[in-house]
């Protein structure tokens, strides 16, 4: 268990995230109560602008798993994983100019409608069932991880936390529809950025600045060059990250229903394409922040060695131990980071919502 405990300020910061998320959903539910159409609930009436759609696209697959996993990867194996960013350009350019125009011009409401138009209803049903199966498993993981973190730092019951998280997300999704989901994504994206930036700023200040962090990582061969080894059994190389990353991005931003539904909520096809373009620099920033947290963690533990408890922890707990150790004594910041983890999970019950369109 992490020994750092939440202060009253931490609880306030954390609860504020849940309350604001609910408030956004209730606001959009009450606005035009009784006059909501299917198009408004499922497609936000196709009137969303580029900025909120772009942040929602970015947020959809930035889960607590990534927030905890990327820094741990960098801390253990160096910065080779950072080259995953090379795949983002093609992985977003192809959806912007191939997938989005097709989906938008056909006036679809789900990716599965296209499967029926292109093939037949059997293919559509199989695609829907596969998506539901994938997202149910994925939701289980992304709901469990932040709940485990909250349990570690507060002692709050693990399964009650999972239930609370699921209920909050389901309520604002069901009542407010896609428009509420997109605007809560905007809020949660900002919280994620703030939580991670707080860790970088405080951590780098404690170890002598980002320049010292980089120098220390270089001295211990943690700053990786381009690894061109074609061996597919090497943990990470430029080829596996670049080519594998392109297909990963196509699966997430090209055909995944959670993203397709957001594209189709844009007021114009051009706005949908621009929102896809806007995700590219944002994804690079998110990747850089995660990698920098890993490097700061490496430098921090060179200055302040791990306790026996920390050294025996599982790799997926490293970041949580580090953050709570780093931010103890700074009221509000531990709460902000846990809110950051929850922000990465508060949107996932939506992912099975549009599957009913099949």
């Amino acid at each position: 268990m992490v020994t750092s405990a939440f202060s009253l300020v931490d609880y306030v910061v954390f609860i504020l995230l849940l309350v604001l998320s609910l408030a956004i959903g209730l606001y959009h539910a009450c606005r035009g109560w009784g006059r909501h159409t299917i198009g408004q609930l499922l497609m936000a009436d196709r009137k969303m602008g580029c900025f909120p759609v772009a942040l929602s696209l970015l947020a959809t697959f930035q889960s607590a798993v990534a927030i905890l996993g990327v820094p741990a990867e960098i801390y253990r194996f160096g910065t080779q994983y950072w080259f995953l960013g090379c795949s983002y350009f093609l992985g977003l350019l192809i959806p912007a100019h191939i997938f989005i125009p097709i989906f938008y011009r056909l006036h679809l409401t789900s990716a599965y409608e296209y499967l029926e138009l292109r093939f037949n209803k059997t293919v559509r049903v199989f695609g829907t069932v596969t998506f539901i199966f994938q997202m149910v498993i994925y939701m289980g993981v992304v709901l469990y991880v932040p709940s485990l973190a909250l349990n570690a730092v507060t002692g709050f019951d693990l399964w009650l936390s999972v239930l609370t998280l699921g209920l909050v997300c389901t309520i604002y999704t069901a009542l407010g529809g896609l428009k509420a989901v997109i605007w809560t994504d905007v809020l949660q994206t900002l919280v994620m950025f703030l939580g991670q930036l707080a860790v970088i700023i405080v951590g780098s200040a404690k170890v002598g600045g980002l320049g010292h962090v980089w120098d220390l990582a270089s001295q211990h061969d943690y700053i990786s060059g381009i690894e061109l080894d074609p061996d597919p059994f090497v943990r990470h190389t430029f080829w596996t990250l670049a080519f594998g990353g392109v297909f990963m991005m196509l699966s997430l931003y090209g055909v995944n229903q959670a993203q397709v539904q957001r594209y189709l909520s844009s007021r114009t096809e051009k706005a949908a394409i621009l929102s896809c373009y806007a995700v590219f620099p944002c994804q690079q920033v998110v990747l850089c922040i995660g990698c920098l947290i890993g490097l700061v963690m490496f430098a921090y533990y060179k200055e302040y060695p791990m306790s026996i408890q920390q050294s025996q922890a599982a790799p997926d707990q490293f970041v949580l131990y580090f953050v709570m150790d780093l931010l103890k004594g700074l009221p509000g910041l531990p709460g902000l980071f846990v809110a950051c983890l929850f922000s990465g999970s508060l949107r996932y019950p939506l992912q099975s919502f549009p599957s009913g369109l099949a």
Side-chain angles (χ1 to χ4, degrees):
M1 298 291 291
V2 180
T3 55
S4 300
F6 261 25
S7 67
L8 178 61
V9 180
D10 294 315
Y11 279 109
V12 170
V13 170
F14 171 66
I15 292 173
L16 191 60
L17 170 71
L18 300 181
V19 171
L20 287 175
S21 296
L22 273 175
I24 292 172
L26 292 175
Y27 168 77
H28 286 286
C30 294
R31 191 179 178 187
W33 183 263
R35 301 192 304 273
H36 290 141
T37 64
I38 296 297
Q40 288 173 325
L41 288 173
L42 296 184
M43 308 304 298
D45 224 10
R46 299 186 191 266
K47 291 182 179 179
M48 296 304 298
C50 173
F51 173 73
V53 171
L55 288 185
S56 184
L57 288 169
L58 173 70
T60 302
F61 287 99
Q62 292 299 325
S63 69
V65 178
I67 294 170
L68 296 178
V70 172
E73 168 71 23
I74 300 299
Y75 172 77
R76 296 175 67 204
F77 300 105
T79 61
Q80 189 66 39
Y81 182 81
W82 208 327
F83 287 104
L84 179 67
C86 297
S87 68
Y88 290 171
F89 181 72
L90 271 182
L92 290 167
L93 189 67
I94 295 173
H97 291 281
I98 295 179
F99 293 99
I100 291 177
I102 292 175
F103 290 140
Y104 205 91
R105 292 170 192 176
L106 288 174
H107 298 285
L108 304 179
T109 52
S110 80
Y112 310 110
E113 284 185 84
Y114 176 78
L115 290 179
E116 184 172 2
L117 291 174
R118 178 66 180 82
F119 301 102
N120 53 52
K121 191 164 186 177
T122 302
V123 175
R124 175 176 179 169
V125 170
F126 273 111
T128 304
V129 171
T130 302
F131 176 77
I132 293 174
F133 180 72
Q134 174 208 353
M135 294 312 299
V136 166
I137 295 174
Y138 191 49
M139 282 191 292
V141 175
V142 298
L143 290 173
Y144 180 79
V145 170
S147 299
L148 189 64
L150 184 66
N151 172 263
V153 298
T154 68
F156 192 80
D157 184 76
L158 177 64
W159 297 111
L160 183 58
S161 177
V162 171
L163 180 62
T164 302
L165 184 61
L167 280 175
V168 169
C169 193
T170 302
I171 289 171
Y172 76 68
T173 299
L175 294 180
L178 184 62
K179 185 176 288 188
V181 170
I182 289 176
W183 283 112
T184 50
D185 281 352
V186 173
L187 167 68
Q188 292 154 14
T189 301
L190 296 176
V191 172
M192 283 194 291
F193 275 123
L194 288 174
Q196 291 176 294
L197 285 175
V199 173
I200 293 174
I201 292 169
V202 175
S204 59
K206 285 193 174 184
V207 297
L210 285 176
H212 178 66
V213 169
W214 192 268
D215 290 340
L216 198 60
S218 297
Q219 292 169 17
H220 290 82
D221 295 324
Y222 262 64
I223 306 300
S224 305
I226 297 179
E227 176 59 68
L228 297 176
D229 189 343
D231 185 356
F233 295 100
V234 175
R235 181 179 181 82
H236 289 311
T237 67
F238 174 81
W239 306 115
T240 56
L241 289 169
F243 287 102
V246 168
F247 287 101
M248 178 191 73
M249 295 297 288
L250 288 178
S251 70
L252 296 181
Y253 287 92
V255 295
N256 189 285
Q257 170 58 24
Q259 307 292 49
V260 170
Q261 191 172 6
R262 285 162 170 80
Y263 293 140
L264 297 176
S265 70
S266 300
R267 59 171 60 100
T268 64
E269 180 184 325
K270 183 178 179 180
I273 292 172
L274 286 175
S275 66
C276 191
Y277 274 150
V279 172
F280 175 72
C282 294
Q283 281 281 17
Q284 296 290 354
V285 170
V286 167
L287 180 62
C288 287
I289 288 175
C291 292
L292 284 175
I293 291 176
L295 292 179
V296 169
M297 181 165 63
F298 175 80
Y300 181 85
Y301 283 127
K302 288 298 178 183
E303 299 282 340
Y304 310 96
M306 285 186 179
S307 66
I308 295 175
Q309 184 184 27
Q310 288 172 321
S311 62
Q312 293 175 346
D316 56 1
Q317 295 176 312
F318 284 170
V319 177
L320 184 60
Y321 274 101
F322 162 65
V323 170
M324 293 305 147
D325 189 27
L326 176 71
L327 300 181
K328 63 184 178 184
L330 298 171
L333 291 187
L336 178 62
F337 186 77
V338 173
C340 163
L341 294 179
F342 271 72
S343 293
S345 303
L346 269 172
R347 65 192 63 85
Y348 283 97
L350 169 72
Q351 312 301 357
S352 57
F353 176 50
S355 302
L357 294 173

